[in-house]
Amino acid sequence: MSAAQSDGGGAPLLRVDDLRATYDTEGGVVRAVDGVSFELRHGEVLAIVGESGSGKTATSLALLDLLPKHIGKVVGGSAEFDGIDLTKLSAADMRAVRGARIAMIFQDALTALNPVHKVGKQISEMIRAHQRVPRSQAWERAVDLLEMVGIPNPRERASNYVHEFSGGMRQRAMIAMAIALEPEILIADEPTTALDVTVQAQVLDVLLGLRERLGMSIILITHDLGVVARAADRVMVMYGGRKIEEQTTEGLFANPQHPYTKGLLRSMPRLDSVIGDRLTQIPGAPPSLVNPSEACRFAPRCDFARPICDEQYPAQVSIGSGSQVACHAAGDPTWETNT
Amino acid sequence: MSEPLLIVRDLVKHFPQYEQRILTKRQTGSVRAVDGVNLDVMAGETVGLVGESGCGKSTTARLILRLIEATSGSVIFDGVDVLNADDEALRRLRRQMQIVFQDPYASLNPRLSVREIVGEGLRIWGETADFDKRVGDLLDRVGLNRRFLDRYPHEFSGGQRQRLGIARALAVRPKLLVLDEPVSALDVSVQAQVLNLLVDLRDEFDLTMIFIAHDLSVVRQICDRVAVMYLGRIVELGDRDGIYTRSTHPYTQALMSAVPVPDPVHERERERIPLEGDPPSPLNPPSGCRFHPRCFKAETICRTEDPPLIERVGGHECACHFPEVSNVT
């Protein structure tokens, strides 16, 4: 299913508007998510890409009220999902949504799964926490789920503990748990980052296969632009807690707009070619998000910055067919941003 | 042709496994982490060691530097027998062979200042004349401010720490630099900075490099030759373009076909060679060709006969009974 087919012109499944979240740290208040807006459509894979500290994980944690207790909190904006604002839900109401209707999987399956319970038991407990089904029936469902994610001998494997699984199987088990209640949205946070490439390919195939089979929408958080190219329908690029660009996957790779996106694509070594002697590099390092300025966050590292970039944050400009970019140079034909 | 700077022959490392009972401990087997590696490295070239977790690439590097003792085999560096060198000879060798580690957080002592970390090698060799200037020059050279001499590792970002690790390795002017996943902990934009720095330093210091990485795209960018490892062995070895555009071993082909390319149009047309399951345990490697249980072309001979690493087709060495040239990138 491609984005075009799945869109269907209907209302988006999830509409995030001006979401803001902060972390309290010793150094001050970190504005980890600083006014992020996006939509997720039925059946699509939306990738959120960015480097460490860009706010991609914080965005998804904020949606599910999973920010670290006492440190992280949502301080503004809304996230409308099927007529309800996720940011306004009580803890009890959120528990009914989280896991059942919006599920999340993490990079590190070993710490996300419980080492002292059998894998099948963890999955069936998850089912029984949301649905009134007998234990034996939930166990059978767990075995079916393990089979669905491609674990060989699922009946025997359901009785294993996590440490008896390889890295790829753990990730599959976590996916099985996440899809147990057939959620409408699956948030996958760096699901393949810790895996070897051959296993990474298997796990991505499982995720995309489940999307077709269950009609889920997926938010795929990753720093790997190769994974984005393989799996995503649309991409949103984050930098310094903000969304700086959003396009279809084809559009982003063929015609990136923001100088940061352009730099990122050019700084990647390629399997399919050699880029001269030197890679294009983006000078400097990502900004601190403690009391960030109101200027463009990328301006200090941008080769094309002009005085206005140090003065005010650029507005989100629509560049046709649902694409957006936040750059002062966008739409100004006299402002060249290509090297 | 001149003599290689480094000659590795039949290098083997088995880690014994024990079963611990209350009073007794008995050996139950051994992990054959490196199981017969042969490799020549010419002066000035950069050789990439690639493969998935557990293939033995890091262990091979540590054996070459004699950071761990080999079970058997030989390593000759610049005419010196590394594995049989006495303490004094080893001390001199270590000056010639340096390593940069993957984890920029764990590999720098948090209690030492930059001056002490980067200058440690100089101090050991008694080269303390103009000490601060020499350490400062090294910092300059790796793109760090020379005023950082009195700072401590926690004040630096991951990319800056990796630069410190590189400066520390270069302080004693080594001939061979081993880089064990030097950029895999770094973000893409910082990774490009460090890779460019390594290319510059390679030219400036006439370095020979062994570059270990699981990221095949990074290796293609920086290496002259590439060795693909699987379960403790090199299965394919050749110059970069040969390995990437004319690979012949089915494992190399499957591995490369699994790497997603950051180009959606090309990526969605590429044919993938799926590999079933995970690599087998090096505790009990399969008979014959070690790759045969996961290989899509395996035949009877593959189960019984271990194919040697020799030149077959495509102009480079390959350990497969049925090699075929293919471009899967």
Side-chain angles (χ1 to χ4, degrees):
Chain A
M1 210 189 298
S2 74
Q5 289 169 322
S6 56
D7 184 11
L13 184 57
L14 175 72
R15 178 183 279 129
V16 176
D17 189 36
D18 199 29
L19 188 69
R20 291 167 193 274
T22 58
Y23 287 123
D24 288 332
T25 67
E26 278 177 29
V29 176
V30 174
R31 281 156 67 177
V33 183
D34 205 13
V36 169
S37 305
F38 66 92
E39 292 178 352
L40 179 68
R41 300 169 197 155
H42 289 275
E44 78 169 342
V45 178
L46 170 69
I48 305 182
V49 299
E51 298 181 274
S52 324
S54 62
K56 53 194 197 301
T57 295
T59 300
S60 56
L61 294 178
L63 290 177
L64 291 180
D65 193 23
L66 287 173
L67 290 165
K69 247 194 190 122
H70 310 305
I71 298 169
K73 58 177 179 290
V74 174
V75 293
S78 63
E80 196 185 313
F81 168 64
D82 193 21
I84 48 178
D85 183 350
L86 295 174
T87 63
K88 306 279 187 305
L89 286 184
S90 69
D93 287 342
M94 178 52 91
R95 271 200 298 279
V97 172
R98 197 198 298 129
R101 302 189 64 192
I102 306 178
M104 187 157 178
I105 58 175
F106 302 90
Q107 174 176 345
D108 186 356
L110 190 59
T111 49
L113 295 168
N114 190 326
V116 302
H117 292 298
K118 290 174 180 168
V119 170
K121 162 122 174 154
Q122 293 184 56
I123 299 173
S124 46
E125 285 300 306
M126 157 86 190
I127 296 168
R128 281 163 50 79
H130 289 273
Q131 296 173 354
R132 291 171 63 93
V133 289
R135 229 167 273 238
S136 58
Q137 202 179 318
W139 183 271
E140 283 307 309
R141 178 102 181 96
V143 172
D144 290 347
L145 285 161
L146 289 176
E147 182 164 30
M148 206 190 282
V149 295
I151 288 185
N153 310 322
R155 193 160 296 278
E156 290 150 46
R157 284 302 191 165
S159 299
N160 281 165
Y161 293 91
V162 180
H163 73 266
E164 298 171 279
F165 276 28
S166 68
M169 293 221 295
R170 286 172 191 155
Q171 208 63 23
R172 288 167 193 261
M174 189 161 60
I175 295 170
M177 193 188 290
I179 60 160
L181 300 159
E182 304 199 355
E184 288 134 273
I185 301 175
L186 179 67
I187 302 177
D189 187 358
E190 303 272 8
T192 60
T193 302
L195 305 174
D196 278 319
V197 283
T198 58
V199 181
Q200 165 179 304
Q202 296 167 3
V203 169
L204 273 184
D205 285 347
V206 167
L207 276 177
L208 296 178
L210 289 170
R211 187 261 296 247
E212 300 264 313
R213 194 159 157 183
L214 306 175
M216 291 185 301
S217 304
I218 297 178
I219 297 177
L220 178 66
I221 298 169
T222 181
H223 69 279
D224 186 334
L225 289 163
V227 169
V228 171
R230 176 172 295 169
D233 299 313
R234 254 180 337 125
V235 193
M236 113 184 193
V237 183
M238 288 190 71
Y239 187 83
R242 296 195 166 175
K243 178 172 95 176
I244 54 142
E245 180 160 1
E246 180 184 327
Q247 287 213 54
T248 61
T249 304
E250 286 77 9
L252 188 94
F253 284 90
N255 200 5
Q257 295 295 313
H258 197 287
Y260 173 68
T261 316
K262 292 178 187 176
L264 204 58
L265 285 170
R266 275 202 306 261
S267 64
M268 285 190 75
R270 300 278 299 242
L271 182 77
D272 52 346
S273 61
V274 181
I275 310 158
D277 274 351
R278 296 173 63 84
L279 296 162
T280 308
Q281 60 186 51
I282 304 175
S288 157
L289 298 182
V290 179
N291 298 319
S293 70
E294 277 313 307
C296 171
R297 305 262 154 94
F298 185 62
R301 301 176 75 187
C302 185
D303 288 338
F304 311 100
R306 294 184 183 179
I308 191 172
C309 303
D310 294 323
E311 284 158 21
Q312 67 184 68
Y313 193 81
Q316 202 82 239
V317 184
S318 178
I319 47 169
S321 62
S323 302
Q324 294 164 321
V325 60
C327 176
H328 288 298
D332 181 347
T334 65
W335 194 336
E336 184 59 45
T337 57
N338 287 313
T339 32
Chain B
M1 217 162 98
S2 59
E3 186 81 338
L5 179 66
L6 179 75
I7 304 167
V8 177
R9 288 289 172 271
D10 299 320
L11 194 60
V12 173
K13 178 66 184 179
H14 291 176
F15 292 102
Q17 295 294 297
Y18 299 100
E19 184 186 46
Q20 181 79 59
R21 296 261 174 84
I22 294 166
L23 292 173
T24 60
K25 188 167 131 181
R26 74 187 173 91
Q27 190 177 339
T28 52
S30 50
V31 173
R32 298 159 76 160
V34 174
D35 212 13
V37 163
N38 292 289
L39 182 68
D40 287 350
V41 180
M42 305 303 291
E45 74 171 345
T46 298
V47 176
L49 284 187
V50 303
E52 299 183 280
S53 333
C55 71
K57 54 192 191 299
S58 288
T59 307
T60 301
R62 282 165 168 69
L63 289 171
I64 289 170
L65 299 179
R66 211 171 145 193
L67 295 176
I68 52 177
E69 296 291 338
T71 306
S72 63
S74 78
V75 175
I76 310 292
F77 177 83
D78 212 4
V80 182
D81 181 347
V82 177
L83 302 187
N84 294 307
D86 60 23
D87 287 356
E88 183 47 36
L90 192 58
R91 204 169 91 90
R92 279 196 300 273
L93 272 173
R94 290 265 161 80
R95 174 157 201 177
Q96 316 270 324
M97 319 198 302
Q98 288 285 312
I99 183 166
V100 175
F101 296 98
Q102 170 174 7
D103 186 343
Y105 292 87
S107 58
L108 300 177
N109 186 336
R111 291 191 178 80
L112 297 186
S113 68
V114 166
R115 176 188 284 106
E116 293 164 310
I117 290 171
V118 176
E120 191 171 17
L122 294 174
R123 207 179 283 287
I124 287 170
W125 284 91
E127 298 181 8
T128 45
D130 294 329
F131 189 74
D132 278 9
K133 180 178 179 302
R134 288 184 69 178
V135 176
D137 289 346
L138 280 161
L139 293 183
D140 262 350
R141 203 47 220 91
V142 297
L144 292 173
N145 193 320
R146 58 193 309 145
R147 293 198 314 265
F148 290 167
L149 278 177
D150 291 307
R151 294 203 181 178
Y152 286 84
H154 73 266
E155 298 174 78
F156 295 94
S157 68
Q160 289 176 315
R161 283 158 180 257
Q162 210 54 320
R163 291 172 192 266
L164 282 177
I166 293 167
R168 169 175 66 181
L170 293 181
V172 292
R173 292 263 170 176
K175 285 187 185 156
L176 176 71
L177 189 60
V178 174
L179 300 131
D180 190 357
E181 300 272 9
V183 296
S184 56
L186 308 178
D187 275 318
V188 179
S189 70
V190 180
Q191 172 179 300
Q193 296 171 2
V194 174
L195 287 174
N196 285 343
L197 173 67
L198 288 173
V199 170
D200 295 344
L201 294 173
R202 176 171 66 190
D203 297 342
E204 191 180 324
F205 288 77
D206 288 324
L207 290 169
T208 305
M209 291 185 179
I210 295 180
F211 192 99
I212 298 165
H214 69 279
D215 185 331
L216 291 156
S217 310
V218 168
V219 169
R220 180 164 197 182
Q221 184 63 32
I222 198 163
C223 295
D224 304 310
R225 279 198 304 142
V226 180
V228 181
M229 292 189 69
Y230 186 78
L231 272 186
R233 296 265 178 89
I234 293 174
V235 296
E236 188 159 7
L237 173 66
D239 66 86
R240 169 179 66 188
D241 291 339
I243 295 288
Y244 282 84
T245 62
R246 299 183 304 276
S247 58
T248 61
H249 196 288
Y251 175 66
T252 310
Q253 291 164 357
L255 187 67
M256 288 195 182
S257 78
V259 179
V261 172
D263 171 352
V265 179
H266 179 190
E267 175 58 27
R268 286 165 195 191
E269 285 171 350
R270 283 172 75 213
E271 201 175 323
R272 273 231 323 276
I273 302 164
L275 278 188
E276 293 298 315
D278 302 304
S281 159
L283 252 175
N284 195 6
S287 65
C289 171
R290 290 168 179 220
F291 183 58
H292 87 256
R294 299 173 81 197
C295 184
F296 54 95
K297 329 180 162 167
E299 297 193 18
T300 318
I301 184 174
C302 304
R303 281 187 276 280
T304 53
E305 228 169 277
D306 194 3
L309 181 69
I310 52 171
E311 189 169 329
R312 293 165 193 266
V313 292
H316 55 261
E317 293 169 52
C318 169
C320 175
H321 293 297
F322 304 103
E324 274 174 280
V325 175
S326 170
N327 182 354
V328 291
T329 58

